[in-house]
């Protein structure tokens, strides 16, 4: 009847409107099988989101570790974050370092602060990268929970090159590793030894997530970091270490506690992987490093 026809027309029109407002894309997956959005260029309206997050007065923490020679990466990291990361929102940088005297001073935008927190270094580089989880989890309880609403945890050998706004934020989010976006499950470099706490069976694993960028509400980041730290310690007690260190344990966590939002590879790109058409914006880039020089003691 008439009502049925009207309803049908309305559906068609609104689907069409959603498509033009959000430019719904058909070239990439926009949602996971558990209905978490995957954030791609064109999938969000930043004005609506900014209004929502401003209404809540949201505070965002960005954690970064600059241990030993990695302090050299901090300048570009912070300077580009000032241009692109959560502009217009309250931002708190947390820089963990063993060399506080090497941290330059930065001129920051309004509502933005930077905290330098001294931590001890570890001899093995694998421990330097893995212990980040312990330090993050401890600081969630000690200070993050009192100071910010969301946390974003990043590698330092990176530079921002495009918008990173509140569209990223969700209870717990992970970023798809740029090298594995088009890879099949078999190709994911998960830890495959069942004895390891990072173990993911061959026929499981949804995506391959990068270890260099993840976040969420402080309570959720605490759970992620605490899990990864304890998984690492359990493996260490057996004299084991997962294939890709913290990244492997992170992938294991996200297999059973699925992220509520995924960041497309726009949010963590590496020019090593070229310029595929589906990555319309490279928002965050790995900085080239002289491995010999930067990783020697
Ligand atoms: C790391 C490797 C070898 C020698 C030194 C270091 C090192 C790392 C260091 O001397 N000082 C330091 O501060 N770091 C911190 O750990 C720093 O924040 C750095 O960005 C992070 C991870 O190390 P990185 O960036 O050299 O490793 P990637 O880029 O190969 O990272 C991927 O794989 C790692 C595990 O092997 C992590 O999962 C990382 O999150 C991934 O992006
Ligand atoms: Mn890195």
């Amino acid at each position: 009847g008439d009502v049925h026809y009207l309803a049908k027309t309305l559906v068609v029109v609104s689907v069409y409107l959603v498509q033009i407002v959000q430019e719904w894309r058909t070239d990439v997956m926009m949602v996971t099988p558990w209905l978490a959005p995957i954030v791609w260029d064109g999938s969000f309206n930043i004005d609506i989101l900014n209004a929502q997050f401003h209404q809540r007065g949201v505070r965002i923490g960005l954690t970064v570790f600059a241990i030993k020679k990695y302090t050299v990466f901090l300048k570009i990291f912070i300077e580009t974050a000032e241009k692109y990361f959560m502009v217009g929102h309250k931002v708190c940088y947390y820089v963990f370092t063993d060399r506080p005297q090497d941290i330059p001073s930065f001129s920051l935008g309004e509502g933005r602060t930077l905290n330098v927190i001294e931590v001890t270094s570890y001899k093995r580089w694998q421990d330097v990268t893995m212990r980040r989880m312990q330090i993050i989890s401890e600081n969630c309880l000690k200070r993050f929970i009192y100071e910010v609403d969301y946390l974003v945890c990043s590698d330092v050998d990176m530079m921002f090159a495009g918008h990173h706004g509140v569209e990223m934020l969700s209870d717990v989010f992970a970023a798809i590793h740029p090298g594995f976006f088009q890879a099949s499950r078999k190709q994911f470099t998960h830890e495959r030894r069942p004895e390891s706490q990072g173990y993911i069976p061959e026929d499981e694993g949804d995506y391959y997530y990068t270890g260099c960028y993840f976040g969420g509400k402080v309570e959720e980041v605490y759970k992620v970091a605490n899990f990864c730290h304890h998984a690492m310690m359990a493996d260490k007690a057996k004299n084991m270490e997962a294939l890709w260190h913290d990244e492997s344990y992170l992938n294991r966590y996200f297999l059973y506690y699925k992220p509520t939002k995924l960041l497309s590879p726009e949010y963590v790109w590496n020019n090593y992987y070229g310029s595929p058409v589906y990555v319309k914006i490279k928002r965050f880039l790995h900085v080239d490093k002289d491995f010999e020089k930067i990783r020697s003691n």
Side-chain angles (χ1 to χ4, degrees):
D2 278 355
V3 176
H4 188 223
Y5 175 75
L6 204 77
K8 241 172 120 175
T9 314
L10 258 172
V11 168
V12 170
V13 168
S14 44
V15 165
Y16 176 71
L17 277 177
V18 165
Q19 280 174 348
I20 53 172
V21 170
Q22 304 189 300
E23 301 166 60
W24 187 267
R25 286 169 56 167
T26 51
D27 60 332
V28 288
M29 259 235 238
M30 299 270 278
V31 66
T32 68
W34 57 94
L35 301 181
I38 307 176
V39 188
W40 288 96
D41 191 40
S43 67
F44 56 90
N45 179 315
I46 193 59
D47 299 326
I48 299 175
L49 290 171
N50 273 335
Q52 286 184 320
F53 281 82
H54 277 134
Q55 215 163 39
R56 290 162 53 195
V58 161
R59 303 158 301 172
I60 304 130
L62 177 56
T63 71
V64 74
F65 288 74
I67 311 284
K68 294 190 267 194
K69 292 185 184 168
Y70 275 55
T71 49
V72 297
F73 293 114
L74 205 58
K75 191 168 166 9
I76 288 179
F77 182 88
I78 300 289
E79 282 176 359
T80 58
E82 281 296 295
K83 267 174 84 176
Y84 295 113
F85 185 82
M86 303 291 170
V87 176
H89 295 274
K90 292 177 202 143
V91 172
C92 220
Y93 298 102
Y94 297 100
V95 176
F96 293 93
T97 185
D98 59 334
R99 299 179 178 182
Q101 67 286 352
D102 288 4
I103 308 300
S105 59
F106 296 95
S107 74
L108 304 175
E110 205 194 314
R112 304 171 79 96
T113 56
L114 189 145
N115 303 287
V116 177
I117 301 155
E118 189 166 356
V119 290
T120 53
S121 175
Y122 286 89
K123 225 174 153 164
R124 290 178 66 240
W125 69 262
Q126 294 88 340
D127 290 324
V128 170
T129 139
M130 290 197 301
R131 289 290 176 153
R132 291 182 295 172
M133 291 298 189
Q134 178 177 20
I135 296 168
I136 290 169
S137 75
E138 286 170 0
N139 278 276
C140 280
L141 304 179
K142 253 202 318 226
R143 69 184 288 184
F144 299 153
I145 194 75
Y146 304 108
E147 298 180 7
V148 293
D149 303 296
Y150 289 92
L151 271 179
V152 180
C153 307
S154 179
D155 266 19
V156 73
D157 56 336
M158 306 290 299
M159 60 178 285
F160 293 89
H163 172 89
H164 279 238
V166 294
E167 75 281 359
M168 296 166 41
L169 302 178
S170 188
D171 283 4
V172 55
F173 61 87
I176 301 172
H177 190 297
F180 296 88
F181 170 65
Q182 289 164 309
S184 65
R185 179 182 274 166
K186 288 202 303 285
Q187 295 169 297
F188 295 163
T189 53
H190 292 312
E191 171 58 58
R192 301 298 189 188
R193 292 168 295 174
E195 313 80 66
S196 169
Q197 297 295 311
Y199 173 57
I200 295 182
E202 293 277 352
D203 58 348
E204 288 184 58
D206 306 298
Y207 297 89
Y208 190 79
Y209 304 110
T210 178
C212 81
Y213 209 50
F214 66 91
K217 296 235 174 90
V218 177
E219 303 89 294
E220 292 298 327
V221 172
Y222 172 75
K223 291 185 217 164
V224 174
N226 188 54
F227 168 88
C228 292
H229 171 57
H230 284 103
M232 282 168 207
M233 297 315 281
D235 272 5
K236 218 184 235 320
K238 293 199 281 183
N239 213 6
M240 283 189 92
E241 196 164 85
L243 184 60
W244 287 104
H245 322 111
D246 43 298
E247 191 168 84
S248 299
Y249 300 102
L250 191 70
N251 273 274
R252 160 77 183 228
Y253 181 85
F254 287 138
L255 174 61
Y256 299 109
Y257 303 91
K258 305 225 189 281
T260 54
K261 198 177 263 186
L262 261 60
L263 305 180
S264 73
E266 292 168 9
Y267 287 83
V268 178
W269 193 250
N270 189 332
N271 278 328
Y272 172 80
Y273 301 112
S275 302
V277 281
Y278 55 79
V279 179
K280 299 193 196 308
I281 305 184
K282 299 172 182 178
R283 303 174 190 272
F284 200 31
L285 287 166
H286 284 266
V287 175
D288 283 331
K289 48 184 187 269
D290 182 340
F291 284 91
E292 284 282 298
K293 223 161 137 191
I294 204 74
R295 289 184 167 179
S296 60
N297 282 307

